[in-house]
């Protein structure tokens, strides 16, 4: 296992290098002149040149690239161009806010979708199975934006069960008051595709030879489903859940903007609007590194869940 981990980590280096080069040239070469953007529409050439000198944009491209590489590995991207706040402090401040909402969505989606998937797969082919799949198909046809508009109008404005938007500095107030409505609306969107996918995993396993053999030996359908089938279906389910982790931050963009949640998603949108390149580059690179780490974790989980899998 240790040899495999070292080999995988070594293989991640070219991927990380490619991501860093792509991000660097995308923003430094093709992203326009940040000095002109920061100076404003009515700015003298002298002011733009002064800003370029202050930001280090007059240095040769290879010098800027080397500075960027050092920033990545020292976790120090300097200060934000728009707020002059340390980029690392911004990430550490905003990431927990996003996780307060998105991590609960991830956990609840996993619990509800897996439970319902096993239940409908147990009754596969029945009216209940067909009805649940029909509801899932209809739910998948509705966009998140429509859920948000209707949810804010009905549940927050009309019924006043939740605040329309907002966030506070107290964790428990956020969890009990401000987070439930965004979480509920995100679950409406996420559970339907997850349920259909997990049901397909479980149903596929019910037709395997080991399941038929267990039934032939006299095992009840309940035992076949929960002892044999679910154990093998857990491999793709856990894989899908793990691969969804990097998407927690990506999926928070819209919901944080609509509900005025000061998380990482909203910060990225604001940074793009302000052309705050240090913030954008830092978040982009670290999300890519997080995704690579999750992929490595998934491969290790494969081996833990199914010892027959050979790690190569």
């Amino acid at each position: 296992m240790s040899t495999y981990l070292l080999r995988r980590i070594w293989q991640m280096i070219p991927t990380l290098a490619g991501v860093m080069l792509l991000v660097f040239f995308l923003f430094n070469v093709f992203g326009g002149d940040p000095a002109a953007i920061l100076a404003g529409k009515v700015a003298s050439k002298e002011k733009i040149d002064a800003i370029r000198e202050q930001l280090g944009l007059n240095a040769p491209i290879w010098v800027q690239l080397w500075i960027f590489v050092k920033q990545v590995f020292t976790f120090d991207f300097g200060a934000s161009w728009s707020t002059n706040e340390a980029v690392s402090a911004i990430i550490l401040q905003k990431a927990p806010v996003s996780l307060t909402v998105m991590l609960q969505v991830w956990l609840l989606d996993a619990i509800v979708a897996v439970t319902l998937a096993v239940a409908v797969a147990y009754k596969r082919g029945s009216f209940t199975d067909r009805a649940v799949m029909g509801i899932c198909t209809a739910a998948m046809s509705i966009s998140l934006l429509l859920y948000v508009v209707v949810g804010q109008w009905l549940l927050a404005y009309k019924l006043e069960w939740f605040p329309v938007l907002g966030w506070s500095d107290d964790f428990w107030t956020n969890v009990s008051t401000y987070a439930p409505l965004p979480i509920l609306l995100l679950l409406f969107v996420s559970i339907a595709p997850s349920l259909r996918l997990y049901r397909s995993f479980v149903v596929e396993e019910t037709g395997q030879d080991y399941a038929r053999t267990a039934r032939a030996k006299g095992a009840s359908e309940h035992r076949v489903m929960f002892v044999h089938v679910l154990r093998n279906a857990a491999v793709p389910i856990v894989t899908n859940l793990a691969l969804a982790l990097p998407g927690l931050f990506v999926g928070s963009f819209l919901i944080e903007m609509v509900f005025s949640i000061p998380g990482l998603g909203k910060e990225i949108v604001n940074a793009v609007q302000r052309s705050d390149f240090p913030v954008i580059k830092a978040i982009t690179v670290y999300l890519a590194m997080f995704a690579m780490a999750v992929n490595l974790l998934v491969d290790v989980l494969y081996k833990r869940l199914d010892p027959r899998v050979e790690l190569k």
Side-chain angles (χ1 to χ4, degrees):
M1 178 65 75
S2 59
T3 304
Y4 170 77
L5 290 176
L6 290 174
R7 185 167 63 251
R8 280 299 309 274
I9 293 173
W10 178 257
Q11 292 172 351
M12 289 166 58
I13 295 177
T15 305
L16 178 60
V19 170
M20 292 169 58
L21 287 173
L22 179 63
V23 170
F24 175 80
F25 285 105
L26 185 64
F27 289 103
N28 288 61
V29 178
F30 304 106
D33 188 356
I37 297 173
L38 294 175
K41 295 182 178 179
V42 183
S44 62
K45 185 177 182 301
E46 291 75 14
K47 182 179 180 180
I48 295 176
D49 290 339
I51 294 176
R52 287 184 59 84
E53 185 66 30
Q54 180 182 1
L55 298 178
L57 299 176
N58 290 329
I61 194 70
W62 62 268
V63 174
Q64 297 182 48
L65 178 59
W66 174 244
I67 293 174
F68 176 61
V69 172
K70 289 195 296 183
Q71 289 174 337
V72 172
F73 289 103
T74 59
F75 299 95
D76 181 13
F77 275 83
S80 164
W81 288 354
S82 57
T83 65
N84 204 34
E85 185 180 359
V87 174
S88 57
I90 293 175
I91 296 176
L92 292 175
Q93 178 185 4
K94 304 296 183 181
V97 176
S98 295
L99 289 175
T100 300
V101 175
M102 302 307 296
L103 195 58
Q104 292 185 75
V105 173
W106 182 78
L107 289 172
L108 291 172
D109 173 75
I111 295 171
V112 175
V114 171
T115 303
L116 292 178
V118 173
V120 296
Y122 187 77
K123 298 290 186 179
R124 57 192 179 281
S126 65
F127 173 78
T128 302
D129 182 22
R130 291 193 293 269
V132 171
M133 290 301 99
I135 294 172
C136 289
T137 302
M140 292 168 62
S141 305
I142 304 174
S143 69
L144 172 60
L145 188 58
L146 182 58
Y147 280 116
V148 169
V149 172
V150 174
Q152 283 186 318
W153 176 79
L154 179 61
L155 301 178
Y157 178 70
K158 284 293 184 181
L159 300 178
E160 298 183 351
W161 290 354
F162 310 99
V164 176
L165 51 83
W167 202 254
S168 73
D169 295 328
D170 182 69
F171 174 77
W172 293 112
T173 301
N174 294 328
V175 171
S176 61
T177 304
Y178 294 106
L181 182 57
I183 291 172
L184 180 63
L185 298 177
L186 285 170
L187 287 175
F188 284 152
V189 178
S190 64
I191 286 179
S194 297
L195 197 160
R196 287 180 61 91
L197 180 63
Y198 300 157
R199 174 193 173 277
S200 67
F201 292 153
V202 177
V203 170
E204 182 182 359
E205 292 297 329
T206 59
Q208 298 296 325
D209 291 339
Y210 69 85
R212 290 195 293 268
T213 302
R215 295 189 188 98
K217 290 182 176 180
S220 64
E221 188 65 24
H222 181 84
R223 179 175 177 80
V224 171
M225 178 65 71
F226 291 97
V227 175
H228 301 284
V229 170
L230 190 57
R231 180 186 302 173
N232 288 277
V235 175
I237 289 175
V238 170
T239 300
N240 185 76
L241 289 172
L243 292 178
L245 282 173
L248 294 180
F249 296 105
V250 178
S252 65
F253 290 178
L254 176 61
I255 210 73
E256 289 182 2
M257 293 299 296
V258 172
F259 286 94
S260 191
I261 299 174
L264 205 58
K266 185 178 181 181
E267 182 63 31
I268 294 175
V269 174
N270 292 336
V272 171
Q273 294 174 344
R274 300 189 302 250
S275 298
D276 199 341
F277 289 177
V279 175
I280 302 172
K281 289 191 291 187
I283 295 176
T284 304
V285 170
Y286 291 142
L287 283 181
M289 294 173 67
F290 179 57
M292 287 187 285
V294 168
N295 286 333
L296 178 60
L297 175 63
V298 168
D299 289 341
V300 175
L301 285 175
Y302 263 137
K303 183 64 175 178
R304 294 296 183 184
L305 292 173
D306 190 353
R308 297 169 299 177
V309 175
E310 294 184 5
L311 300 179
K312 299 179 180 180

